[in-house]
Amino acid sequence: MSAAIAVGLGGLAGWRVLQRMEARHVETTAKDPLVQRATGYFRENLTAATSAEDLVGDYKMLQVALGAFGLDKDAANKAFIRKVLESDLADTASLANRLGDKRYLKLAKAFQGRSNAGAASQAIAEAYVQRQFEKRVGEGNETYRLALNARNEVKAFAARASSDRTMWFEVLGNEPLRTVFAGAFGLNKAVANLPVDRQLELFMSASERVLGSSSFSKIADEASIDKLVTRYLALSQVQANTSSNRYAAAMTLLSRQR
């Protein structure tokens, strides 16, 4: 079990402290013997000749590849991951392109685009280290893990040529990212039961109201990302405090009835 990263504070104050400490903690995570062995093994064994079958058949390599994209829970779904890796990315009907969660598409692109295996393996290894850092933060505070992930994911949208609707659909299909947007917008979980087009309307409308725009060319800048994340953390803290107060009140009532 990796050591949890705790900052000693909660809410927005703790988030600011974590941001100042982030670079040092990422470096420490990269130097962890377990992480070093995992990334070292991956870099040594991923080559241009590595097939999808080879990758899913090597648990150590698969662990790093999936971990780099936050897909750790799919380690046992080898047949599914192999199909993702072997998808024809030029075919819009292929599995990787059809999946709502575009982390699978990113995994397939990284695997198939490794003409320079050394550069590809290094990029995946670095992403794995970042995810391991986020996991350790999450062991101390899950909302911070989600905030870190959202910050990095949304920042990457700025360089994308995809339409805003396409990227919003990606937000809806990516559960960790969706959680942050929904939390910041004050949208409850029941929204997920609505038709997807209606969900899209609600998220885009909320983005206009809260962030001032629903275009990722604007909301993927530093100021908007900071507003998104801090609003998510603030509302999460309010919700946690409310739940705690309700629990305390319930326990008080129960104690009086004894």
Side-chain angles (χ1 to χ4, degrees), residues 80-116:
F80 169 70
I81 294 300
R82 180 176 175 179
K83 289 180 180 179
V84 168
L85 295 173
E86 293 176 341
S87 294
D88 180 358
L89 300 184
D91 180 2
T92 56
S94 67
L95 179 60
N97 281 314
R98 284 189 290 108
L99 290 169
D101 189 337
K102 295 307 175 185
R103 290 178 294 177
Y104 294 105
L105 180 59
K106 292 177 183 178
L107 169 64
K109 285 181 175 179
F111 178 72
Q112 294 186 22
R114 64 193 193 289
S115 55
N116 183 334

Side-chain angles (χ1 to χ4, degrees), residues 218-236:
K218 295 181 179 179
I219 62 178
D221 64 21
E222 294 286 348
S224 295
I225 292 174
D226 184 65
K227 186 173 183 179
L228 169 74
V229 169
T230 54
R231 184 178 170 86
Y232 162 69
L233 292 171
L235 292 179
S236 294

Side-chain angles (χ1 to χ4, degrees), residues 2 18 22 33 97 101 122 142 165 170 210 225 232 252:
S2 58
L18 178 62
E22 182 175 358
N97 281 314
D101 189 337
Q122 180 62 28
E142 178 65 5
R165 284 178 62 86
E170 289 187 30
V210 174
I225 292 174
Y232 162 69
T252 299

Side-chain angles (χ1 to χ4, degrees), residues 190-211:
V191 170
N193 298 323
L194 298 173
V196 68
D197 285 336
R198 179 55 180 154
Q199 293 181 46
L200 180 67
E201 291 175 6
L202 288 173
F203 271 77
M204 292 183 72
S205 175
S207 185
E208 292 279 356
R209 184 181 70 253
V210 174
L211 301 178

